[in-house]
Amino acid sequence: MKSLKVFVVSDSVGETGEQVVKAVVAQFRPNFENTIIRRFPHIDSDDHISNIVEIAKAQDALIVFTLAEEKMRKKLEECCLKENIPSIDLLGPMIQVFQKKINEKPLEEAGLVHKLDEDYFKKIEAVEFAVKYDDGRDPRGLLLADVILVGVSRTSKTPLSQYLAHKRYKVANVPLVPEINPPEELFLVDPKKCFGLVISPEKLNMIRKERLIALGLNDDAIYAKHERIEQEIAHFYKVVHRIGCTVIDVTNRAVEETANDIIERIEQNK
């Protein structure tokens, strides 16, 4: 069986090119016997290309490449043609077809797919973080969070945490109750990343009554009484004053509006 050597040349990590090569090789050699596939990632100069072509010639390898920049593709094609080395351009022909179809110029920027993947995984990580450290479940999360939300019950802490998580912010939230001391970690974090959420007593009374009814409970429970709500809000102000954090009134605000306000403040403080 004749030996086969394939060099995968890429301006990114080369994973796409390698997977395509493996798919093709498997049609001839399912067990990849007597086959070597070698990646050359992050190729970004003419010298790199010249060196790879020289090695390919010495080792009788063929070259498969995924290069986003047209200039680099042409350079590699010319070098391979000069040295009589078989080469396959995986991206170039498809880029040309797309360019003609939509009449737009390509960005010619390496690694864009992996940047999107990285962004996706950051979002997933942030969502998992928000779930793990929701409702004060583990105070240790406060020291790891990008954003900390504090407020009395029913001030949209959880939906706001999830919305911010989809913007790739790691969010922890803490409910404030007069009978329970806030976690000490809350007073150790940078107050600039902590936000107190407050709501008018009248609005909160209405929200809590609706919540009780939805749960099949009597809407005159102490949870929804004005006296209790006033007590909780007074406790809230004592805590946020001690923290020294920003207070945002969410009474007539959508979650998106509050989130955008927080994001703007966080970015300004960086």
Side-chain angles (χ1 to χ4, degrees):
M1 180 182 290
K2 185 177 181 180
S3 67
L4 174 63
K5 291 184 179 180
V6 185
F7 288 179
V8 178
V9 180
S10 175
D11 46 19
S12 184
V13 296
E15 182 179 357
T16 301
E18 183 176 6
Q19 291 303 315
V20 173
V21 169
K22 285 181 175 178
V24 175
V25 171
Q27 294 298 316
F28 299 91
R29 302 173 179 182
N31 296 319
F32 295 89
E33 58 269 26
N34 210 20
T35 299
I36 296 174
I37 301 172
R38 182 179 175 187
R39 269 198 231 183
F40 290 83
H42 307 297
I43 302 305
D44 59 3
S45 72
D46 290 353
D47 287 342
H48 284 163
I49 288 175
S50 298
N51 291 337
I52 292 168
V53 170
E54 184 178 341
I55 297 170
K57 182 179 180 181
Q59 298 186 12
D60 191 26
L62 65 84
I63 293 177
V64 175
F65 58 97
T66 55
L67 298 171
E69 191 175 351
E70 184 180 8
K71 181 181 71 173
M72 295 290 286
R73 294 198 300 270
K74 287 183 176 179
K75 173 66 178 178
L76 183 50
E77 286 176 340
E78 290 170 359
C79 289
C80 287
L81 186 62
K82 180 180 178 181
E83 299 297 340
N84 197 29
I85 297 173
S87 66
I88 303 165
D89 178 4
L90 291 181
L91 289 187
M94 195 177 299
I95 288 175
Q96 290 174 4
V97 172
F98 276 58
Q99 183 175 356
K100 185 176 180 180
K101 177 65 177 177
I102 63 179
N103 195 29
E104 296 177 18
K105 289 186 177 181
L107 297 174
E108 296 194 347
E109 183 177 339
L112 290 177
V113 170
H114 295 284
K115 287 181 180 178
L116 290 173
D117 288 344
E118 183 181 353
D119 183 70
Y120 171 77
F121 286 116
K122 282 184 177 179
K123 183 186 294 185
I124 294 301
E125 183 182 2
V127 170
E128 291 176 346
F129 187 96
V131 172
K132 183 176 182 179
Y133 298 111
D134 182 46
D135 209 31
R137 288 176 186 167
D138 186 347
R140 293 173 296 181
L142 300 174
L143 304 176
L144 305 173
D146 300 318
V147 178
I148 298 165
L149 306 176
V150 297
V152 301
S153 175
R154 314 311 297 175
T155 50
S156 301
K157 295 185 298 299
T158 295
L160 184 54
S161 294
Q162 286 296 323
Y163 187 94
L164 289 168
H166 280 82
K167 299 295 183 179
R168 296 168 299 283
Y169 291 93
K170 293 181 180 179
V171 186
N173 72 74
V174 179
L176 298 181
V177 183
E179 293 78 13
I180 301 174
N181 290 327
E184 284 302 316
E185 289 85 349
L186 192 56
F187 306 104
L188 300 176
V189 300
D190 182 352
K192 290 182 179 179
K193 68 178 184 179
C194 185
F195 296 87
L197 307 179
V198 72
I199 190 170
S200 73
E202 295 75 22
K203 180 75 171 181
L204 187 55
N205 172 258
M206 182 179 68
I207 292 172
R208 288 188 174 183
K209 282 186 175 182
E210 290 175 353
R211 176 61 175 167
L212 289 169
I213 292 171
L215 293 173
L217 302 174
N218 196 322
D219 67 357
D220 67 350
I222 189 171
Y223 174 71
K225 288 187 177 296
H226 277 287
E227 296 81 1
R228 173 62 183 183
I229 289 172
E230 293 285 359
Q231 181 187 9
E232 289 186 26
I233 291 178
H235 174 68
F236 163 83
Y237 276 113
K238 287 180 181 178
V239 174
V240 295
H241 178 73
R242 182 180 168 191
I243 298 170
C245 65
T246 299
V247 174
I248 299 176
D249 190 333
V250 299
T251 301
N252 295 309
R253 279 189 163 194
V255 167
E256 296 87 346
E257 187 180 357
T258 305
N260 290 334
D261 187 0
I262 290 173
I263 291 170
E264 185 177 341
R265 292 172 188 269
I266 287 290
E267 294 304 315
Q268 285 178 349
N269 289 329
K270 283 186 177 179

